[in-house]
Coordinates of all heavy atoms in Angstrom, one line a residue:
L62 N -11.7 32.0 10.1 CA -11.2 33.4 10.3 C -10.9 33.8 11.7 O -9.9 34.4 12.0 CB -12.3 34.4 9.7 CG -12.4 34.4 8.2 CD1 -13.5 35.3 7.7 CD2 -11.1 34.8 7.5
I63 N -11.7 33.3 12.6 CA -11.5 33.6 14.1 C -10.3 32.8 14.6 O -9.5 33.3 15.3 CB -12.8 33.2 14.9 CG1 -14.0 34.1 14.5 CG2 -12.5 33.4 16.4 CD1 -15.3 33.8 15.1
L64 N -10.2 31.6 14.1 CA -9.0 30.8 14.5 C -7.7 31.3 14.0 O -6.7 31.3 14.7 CB -9.2 29.3 14.1 CG -10.3 28.5 14.7 CD1 -10.4 27.1 14.0 CD2 -10.2 28.4 16.2
K65 N -7.7 31.9 12.8 CA -6.5 32.4 12.2 C -5.9 33.6 13.1 O -4.7 33.8 13.2 CB -6.7 32.9 10.8 CG -6.9 31.8 9.8 CD -7.1 32.3 8.4 CE -7.2 31.2 7.3 NZ -7.5 31.7 6.0
D66 N -6.8 34.3 13.7 CA -6.4 35.5 14.5 C -6.1 35.1 15.9 O -5.1 35.6 16.4 CB -7.6 36.5 14.5 CG -7.2 37.7 15.3 OD1 -6.2 38.4 14.9 OD2 -7.9 38.1 16.3
G67 N -6.8 34.2 16.5 CA -6.6 33.9 17.9 C -5.9 32.6 18.2 O -5.3 32.4 19.3
A68 N -5.9 31.6 17.2 CA -5.2 30.4 17.4 C -4.6 29.9 16.1 O -5.1 28.9 15.5 CB -6.1 29.3 18.0
P69 N -3.7 30.6 15.6 CA -3.2 30.4 14.2 C -2.7 28.9 13.9 O -2.9 28.4 12.8 CB -2.0 31.4 14.0 CG -1.6 31.7 15.4 CD -2.9 31.7 16.2
I70 N -2.1 28.3 14.9 CA -1.6 26.9 14.7 C -2.8 26.0 14.6 O -2.8 25.1 13.7 CB -0.6 26.5 15.8 CG1 0.6 27.4 15.8 CG2 -0.2 25.0 15.6 CD1 1.6 27.1 16.9
L71 N -3.8 26.2 15.4 CA -5.0 25.4 15.3 C -5.7 25.6 14.0 O -6.2 24.6 13.4 CB -6.0 25.8 16.5 CG -7.2 24.9 16.7 CD1 -6.8 23.5 16.9 CD2 -8.1 25.5 17.8
A72 N -5.7 26.8 13.5 CA -6.3 27.1 12.2 C -5.6 26.3 11.0 O -6.3 25.9 10.1 CB -6.3 28.6 11.9
Q73 N -4.3 26.1 11.2 CA -3.6 25.4 10.2 C -3.9 23.9 10.1 O -3.6 23.3 9.1 CB -2.1 25.5 10.4 CG -1.6 26.9 10.3 CD -0.1 27.1 10.6 OE1 0.6 26.1 10.8 NE2 0.4 28.3 10.7
F74 N -4.6 23.4 11.1 CA -5.0 22.0 11.0 C -6.0 21.7 9.9 O -6.1 20.6 9.4 CB -5.7 21.6 12.3 CG -4.7 21.4 13.5 CD1 -3.4 21.8 13.4 CD2 -5.1 20.7 14.6 CE1 -2.5 21.6 14.4 CE2 -4.3 20.5 15.7 CZ -2.9 21.0 15.6
C75 N -6.7 22.8 9.5 CA -7.7 22.7 8.4 C -7.0 23.3 7.2 O -7.0 24.5 7.0 CB -9.0 23.4 8.7 SG -10.4 22.9 7.7
K76 N -6.4 22.5 6.3 CA -5.6 23.0 5.2 C -6.5 23.6 4.1 O -7.6 23.2 3.9 CB -4.8 21.9 4.7 CG -3.8 21.3 5.7 CD -3.0 20.2 5.1 CE -2.0 19.6 6.1 NZ -1.2 18.5 5.5
Q77 N -5.9 24.5 3.4 CA -6.6 25.1 2.3 C -6.8 24.1 1.2 O -6.0 23.2 1.0 CB -5.7 26.3 1.7 CG -5.5 27.5 2.6 CD -6.8 28.3 2.6 OE1 -7.7 28.2 1.8 NE2 -6.9 29.1 3.7
G78 N -8.0 24.2 0.6 CA -8.3 23.3 -0.5 C -8.9 22.0 0.0 O -9.2 21.1 -0.8
Q79 N -9.1 21.8 1.3 CA -9.7 20.6 1.8 C -11.1 20.5 1.4 O -11.9 21.5 1.5 CB -9.6 20.6 3.4 CG -9.6 19.2 4.0 CD -9.1 19.2 5.4 OE1 -8.3 20.1 5.8 NE2 -9.4 18.2 6.1
E80 N -11.6 19.4 0.9 CA -12.9 19.3 0.3 C -14.0 19.3 1.2 O -15.1 19.8 0.9 CB -12.9 18.0 -0.6 CG -11.9 18.0 -1.7 CD -12.0 16.7 -2.6 OE1 -12.9 15.9 -2.2 OE2 -11.3 16.6 -3.6
E81 N -13.8 18.8 2.5 CA -14.9 18.7 3.4 C -15.4 20.1 3.8 O -14.7 21.0 3.9 CB -14.5 18.0 4.7 CG -14.2 16.5 4.5 CD -12.7 16.3 4.3 OE1 -12.0 17.3 3.9 OE2 -12.2 15.2 4.6
D82 N -16.7 20.2 3.8 CA -17.3 21.5 4.3 C -18.5 21.1 5.2 O -19.5 20.7 4.8 CB -17.8 22.3 3.1 CG -18.3 23.7 3.5 OD1 -17.9 24.1 4.6 OD2 -19.1 24.3 2.8
P83 N -18.3 21.4 6.5 CA -17.2 22.0 7.1 C -16.0 21.0 7.2 O -16.1 19.8 7.2 CB -17.7 22.3 8.5 CG -18.7 21.3 8.8 CD -19.4 21.0 7.5
C84 N -14.8 21.6 7.4 CA -13.6 20.9 7.6 C -13.6 20.1 8.9 O -14.0 20.7 9.9 CB -12.4 21.9 7.6 SG -10.8 21.1 8.1
Q85 N -13.3 18.9 8.9 CA -13.3 18.0 10.1 C -11.9 17.7 10.6 O -11.1 17.2 9.8 CB -14.1 16.8 9.8 CG -15.6 17.0 9.5 CD -16.4 15.8 9.5 OE1 -15.9 14.7 9.6 NE2 -17.7 15.9 9.3
V86 N -11.6 18.0 11.9 CA -10.3 17.7 12.4 C -10.5 16.9 13.7 O -11.3 17.2 14.6 CB -9.6 19.1 12.8 CG1 -8.2 18.8 13.4 CG2 -9.5 19.9 11.5
S87 N -9.7 15.8 13.8 CA -9.7 14.9 14.9 C -8.5 15.3 15.9 O -7.4 15.4 15.5 CB -9.6 13.5 14.5 OG -9.5 12.6 15.6
I88 N -8.9 15.5 17.2 CA -7.8 15.8 18.2 C -8.0 14.9 19.3 O -9.0 14.8 20.0 CB -8.0 17.3 18.7 CG1 -7.7 18.3 17.5 CG2 -7.1 17.6 19.9 CD1 -7.9 19.7 17.9
T89 N -6.9 14.1 19.6 CA -6.9 13.1 20.6 C -6.0 13.3 21.8 O -5.9 12.5 22.7 CB -6.6 11.7 20.0 OG1 -5.3 11.8 19.4 CG2 -7.7 11.4 18.9
D90 N -5.2 14.4 21.7 CA -4.1 14.6 22.7 C -4.4 15.8 23.7 O -3.5 16.2 24.4 CB -2.8 14.8 22.0 CG -2.8 16.0 21.0 OD1 -3.9 16.6 20.8 OD2 -1.7 16.3 20.5
V91 N -5.6 16.3 23.7 CA -6.0 17.4 24.6 C -7.4 17.0 25.2 O -8.3 16.5 24.6 CB -6.2 18.7 23.9 CG1 -6.7 19.8 24.8 CG2 -4.8 19.1 23.3
D92 N -7.5 17.2 26.6 CA -8.7 16.9 27.3 C -9.8 17.8 26.7 O -9.6 19.0 26.5 CB -8.5 17.2 28.8 CG -9.8 16.9 29.6 OD1 -10.0 15.8 29.9 OD2 -10.5 17.9 29.8
P93 N -11.0 17.2 26.4 CA -12.1 18.0 25.9 C -12.5 19.2 26.7 O -12.8 20.3 26.1 CB -13.3 17.0 25.8 CG -12.6 15.7 25.7 CD -11.3 15.8 26.6
D94 N -12.4 19.1 28.0 CA -12.8 20.3 28.8 C -11.8 21.4 28.6 O -12.1 22.6 28.5 CB -12.9 19.9 30.3 CG -13.3 21.1 31.2 OD1 -14.3 21.6 31.0 OD2 -12.5 21.4 32.1
I95 N -10.5 21.1 28.6 CA -9.4 22.1 28.4 C -9.6 22.7 27.0 O -9.5 23.9 26.8 CB -8.0 21.5 28.5 CG1 -7.8 21.0 30.0 CG2 -7.0 22.5 28.1 CD1 -7.9 22.0 31.0
F96 N -9.9 21.8 26.0 CA -10.0 22.3 24.6 C -11.2 23.3 24.5 O -11.1 24.4 23.9 CB -10.2 21.2 23.7 CG -10.3 21.6 22.2 CD1 -9.1 21.7 21.5 CD2 -11.5 21.9 21.6 CE1 -9.1 22.0 20.1 CE2 -11.5 22.3 20.3 CZ -10.4 22.4 19.5
Q97 N -12.3 22.9 25.2 CA -13.5 23.8 25.1 C -13.2 25.2 25.8 O -13.6 26.2 25.2 CB -14.7 23.1 25.9 CG -15.9 24.0 25.9 CD -17.1 23.3 26.6 OE1 -16.8 22.5 27.5 NE2 -18.3 23.7 26.3
Q98 N -12.5 25.2 26.9 CA -12.2 26.4 27.6 C -11.2 27.3 26.7 O -11.3 28.5 26.7 CB -11.7 26.2 29.0 CG -12.7 25.6 29.9 CD -12.2 25.5 31.3 OE1 -11.9 26.5 32.0 NE2 -11.9 24.3 31.8
A99 N -10.3 26.6 26.1 CA -9.3 27.3 25.3 C -10.0 27.9 24.0 O -9.7 29.1 23.7 CB -8.2 26.4 24.8
L100 N -10.9 27.1 23.4 CA -11.6 27.6 22.3 C -12.5 28.8 22.7 O -12.6 29.8 21.9 CB -12.4 26.5 21.6 CG -13.1 26.8 20.3 CD1 -12.1 27.1 19.2 CD2 -14.0 25.6 19.9
H101 N -13.2 28.7 23.8 CA -14.0 29.7 24.3 C -13.2 31.0 24.5 O -13.7 32.1 24.3 CB -14.7 29.3 25.6 CG -15.7 30.2 26.2 ND1 -15.5 31.0 27.3 CD2 -16.9 30.6 25.7 CE1 -16.5 31.7 27.6 NE2 -17.4 31.5 26.6
Y102 N -12.0 30.9 25.0 CA -11.1 32.0 25.2 C -10.8 32.7 23.9 O -10.7 33.9 23.8 CB -9.8 31.5 25.9 CG -8.8 32.5 26.3 CD1 -8.8 33.1 27.5 CD2 -7.9 33.0 25.3 CE1 -7.9 34.1 27.9 CE2 -6.9 33.9 25.7 CZ -6.9 34.5 26.9 OH -6.0 35.4 27.2
V103 N -10.5 31.9 22.9 CA -10.2 32.4 21.5 C -11.4 33.3 21.0 O -11.2 34.3 20.4 CB -9.9 31.3 20.5 CG1 -9.8 31.8 19.1 CG2 -8.6 30.6 20.9
Y104 N -12.6 32.9 21.4 CA -13.8 33.7 21.0 C -14.1 34.9 21.9 O -15.1 35.5 21.7 CB -15.0 32.7 20.9 CG -15.1 32.0 19.6 CD1 -14.2 30.9 19.3 CD2 -16.0 32.3 18.6 CE1 -14.2 30.2 18.1 CE2 -16.1 31.6 17.4 CZ -15.2 30.5 17.2 OH -15.2 29.9 16.0
G105 N -13.2 35.1 22.8 CA -13.4 36.3 23.7 C -13.9 36.0 25.1 O -14.2 36.9 25.9
G106 N -14.0 34.7 25.4 CA -14.5 34.3 26.7 C -13.3 34.3 27.7 O -12.2 34.6 27.4
K107 N -13.7 34.1 29.0 CA -12.7 34.1 30.1 C -12.6 32.7 30.7 O -13.5 31.9 30.7 CB -13.2 35.1 31.2 CG -13.4 36.5 30.7 CD -12.0 37.2 30.3 CE -12.2 38.6 29.9 NZ -10.9 39.2 29.5

Side-chain angles (χ1 to χ4, degrees):
L62 287 178
I63 296 176
L64 294 178
K65 285 180 180 179
D66 183 58
I70 298 177
L71 186 60
Q73 293 175 9
F74 285 14
C75 198
K76 299 179 181 179
Q77 291 288 341
Q79 203 160 340
E80 296 182 359
E81 296 96 336
D82 187 21
C84 167
Q85 295 187 357
V86 179
S87 177
I88 293 179
T89 60
D90 56 354
V91 176
D92 181 83
D94 181 59
I95 296 298
F96 185 88
Q97 180 180 25
Q98 293 186 69
L100 187 62
H101 185 251
Y102 183 95
V103 170
Y104 276 73
K107 300 293 184 182

